[in-house]
Amino acid sequence: MENLKRRIHQIEKKRPGYKEMLRFYERIKREQEKVKSSLNLCPFSLRKEWKDLLKQEGFSLIEKKDFPIDIGASTNLFHTLCDFGKEANPHMAQQIRNIEEGLLKKKIDLVEILRSPFDEHLLTPAIPKLKLDKKVILFLAMESIRPSIEASVDGLRSEVEIDTWLKGYCPICGSKPHLSLLKDTEGKRFLLCSFCGYQWRIDRMTCPFCMNSKSDSLHYFFGEGEEAYRIDTCDQCRTYIKTIDTRKMDLIDPVLEDLATLHLDLLATQKGYQRSVPHPWIP
Ligand SMILES: [Zn+2]
Ligand SMILES: [Zn+2]
């Protein structure tokens, strides 16, 4: 946490406009760390058939809905994050008031959302009534179950071969990546799962979303004076992914670096590309 705090201060100095968002992020991380030490999760074991399927057919190891979640701890964390969010920015504060109204009037089933924060249909009836921005509530739910998810992923790492998967979706949970990283002296490319945080390899010249590898339709651009971050775009599916070159920096937390460079996302959006996974801070 101390390294994270130091890095946040560095970024704040360079980009004061990001201060509130970064403070919110720091508070979330601190609470998640606290929760991690006292989680109560049902152990689950993988069956051998599943591991064989992973190898032969390219199925991911488990389904998102099957991750064990500590619902009690996640519910408490959700309410704490709502308190923090009220101070993060006016839009989030308003959304949290709407969410609280929905909980009070039982128009939102929090336990169900914590079990499946990837299932947007759960919110469909509540969205118009409560004027919900689903990105915000799903973000808060996702961050509330993150300690449970990360604890399970730690137990699954040894089951997956990080170097041979080479697909555009996560070998553990099947989700899309939200960031890409260049590592090692040769600049091997890794993708970072948007749901479980696992990292796996992919070819450098491949779009992870449509597997396009034609060089004339894959491009990238940097922010001014920010060579450690680039936006990789694909003209075939019009999607982009942010790539962090970890050889050019001491990487502490890729998600923090993502937040620190949201101006690049705005540029990518203006150029007509969309982000693979919705982000609560990108309109
Ligand atoms: Zn995953
Ligand atoms: Zn593509």
Side-chain angles (χ1 to χ4, degrees), residues 64 67 153 170-176 193-198 200:
K64 282 184 280 200
F67 273 91
V153 170
C170 174
I172 288 189
C173 74
S175 301
K176 285 191 236 176
C193 178
S194 56
F195 182 76
C196 76
Y198 186 74
W200 71 98

Side-chain angles (χ1 to χ4, degrees), residues 83 92 99 114 128 179 194 235:
D83 287 341
M92 187 146 319
I99 293 167
L114 291 172
L179 289 170
S194 56
D235 287 340

Side-chain angles (χ1 to χ4, degrees), residues 214-231:
K214 290 190 284 280
S215 58
D216 58 348
S217 53
L218 294 169
H219 305 282
Y220 61 84
F221 67 86
F222 295 101
E224 230 181 275
E226 293 181 308
E227 278 72 29
Y229 314 92
R230 68 181 214 202
I231 297 286

Side-chain angles (χ1 to χ4, degrees), residues 2-268:
E2 283 319 299
N3 284 344
L4 184 84
K5 203 173 167 180
R6 207 170 310 127
R7 180 69 187 132
I8 287 176
H9 283 305
Q10 278 176 2
I11 299 168
E12 276 175 0
K13 265 192 207 148
K14 201 174 162 203
R15 298 195 177 275
Y18 284 173
K19 194 168 179 172
E20 281 173 340
M21 180 177 68
L22 295 172
R23 285 286 154 89
F24 182 42
Y25 182 71
E26 187 185 339
R27 294 176 89 182
I28 292 176
K29 292 295 277 188
R30 211 173 273 284
E31 283 304 307
Q32 287 174 335
E33 279 302 307
K34 269 195 228 163
V35 170
K36 261 186 193 169
S37 53
S38 57
L39 282 174
N40 184 11
L41 295 169
C42 309
F44 74 117
S45 54
L46 289 167
R47 293 205 300 267
K48 186 179 173 300
E49 314 84 272
W50 295 358
K51 290 190 222 171
D52 291 344
L53 278 173
L54 173 85
K55 261 208 181 110
Q56 292 155 16
E57 312 282 350
F59 285 124
S60 50
L61 213 47
I62 54 175
E63 286 192 50
K64 282 184 280 200
K65 64 177 177 49
D66 293 334
F67 273 91
I69 304 287
D70 182 334
I71 289 293
S74 306
T75 305
N76 291 339
L77 185 53
F78 184 87
H79 291 299
T80 308
L81 300 190
C82 283
D83 287 341
F84 295 166
K86 284 178 195 160
E87 294 162 20
N89 70 40
H91 176 66
M92 187 146 319
Q94 180 58 53
Q95 277 300 311
I96 288 167
R97 283 194 291 275
N98 299 356
I99 293 167
E100 286 176 341
E101 188 196 328
L103 292 172
L104 204 66
K105 294 184 177 161
K106 302 207 178 336
K107 290 193 165 64
I108 298 174
D109 183 341
L110 184 59
V111 170
E112 206 175 17
I113 290 166
L114 291 172
R115 285 194 201 283
S116 312
F118 37 84
D119 186 355
E120 297 178 7
H121 299 297
L122 288 177
L123 286 169
T124 310
I127 284 175
K129 280 185 208 141
L130 297 163
K131 297 196 178 74
L132 288 185
D133 174 350
K134 66 181 175 196
K135 282 200 304 255
V136 172
I137 182 168
L138 295 178
F139 165 77
L140 292 167
M142 192 57 226
E143 294 311 312
S144 304
I145 64 166
R146 194 171 298 286
S148 299
I149 303 285
E150 286 181 353
S152 298
V153 170
D154 285 341
L156 290 169
R157 274 176 213 286
S158 57
E159 308 291 346
V160 185
E161 285 174 36
I162 195 169
D163 277 319
T164 53
W165 179 253
L166 299 175
K167 297 190 192 334
Y169 53 93
C170 174
I172 288 189
C173 74
S175 301
K176 285 191 236 176
H178 64 151
L179 289 170
S180 130
L181 305 171
L182 299 179
K183 289 191 200 177
D184 305 337
T185 38
E186 316 93 284
K188 282 183 188 165
R189 188 182 186 205
F190 288 79
L191 296 174
L192 187 71
C193 178
S194 56
F195 182 76
C196 76
Y198 186 74
Q199 295 181 16
W200 71 98
R201 285 272 316 272
I202 191 165
D203 290 332
R204 275 187 75 154
M205 283 298 288
T206 301
C207 166
F209 309 111
C210 69
M211 296 311 274
N212 170 25
S213 54
K214 290 190 284 280
S215 58
D216 58 348
S217 53
L218 294 169
H219 305 282
Y220 61 84
F221 67 86
F222 295 101
E224 230 181 275
E226 293 181 308
E227 278 72 29
Y229 314 92
R230 68 181 214 202
I231 297 286
D232 283 284
T233 59
C234 171
D235 287 340
Q236 191 167 287
C237 66
R238 304 298 294 171
T239 306
Y240 73 89
I241 189 162
K242 192 182 290 171
T243 298
I244 302 171
D245 192 340
T246 67
R247 298 166 301 171
K248 294 182 176 152
M249 66 184 315
D250 269 337
L251 184 69
I252 291 160
D253 175 356
V255 178
L256 172 64
E257 300 304 325
D258 183 25
L259 281 178
T261 49
L262 286 185
H263 45 282
L264 296 180
D265 295 83
L266 291 181
L267 274 177

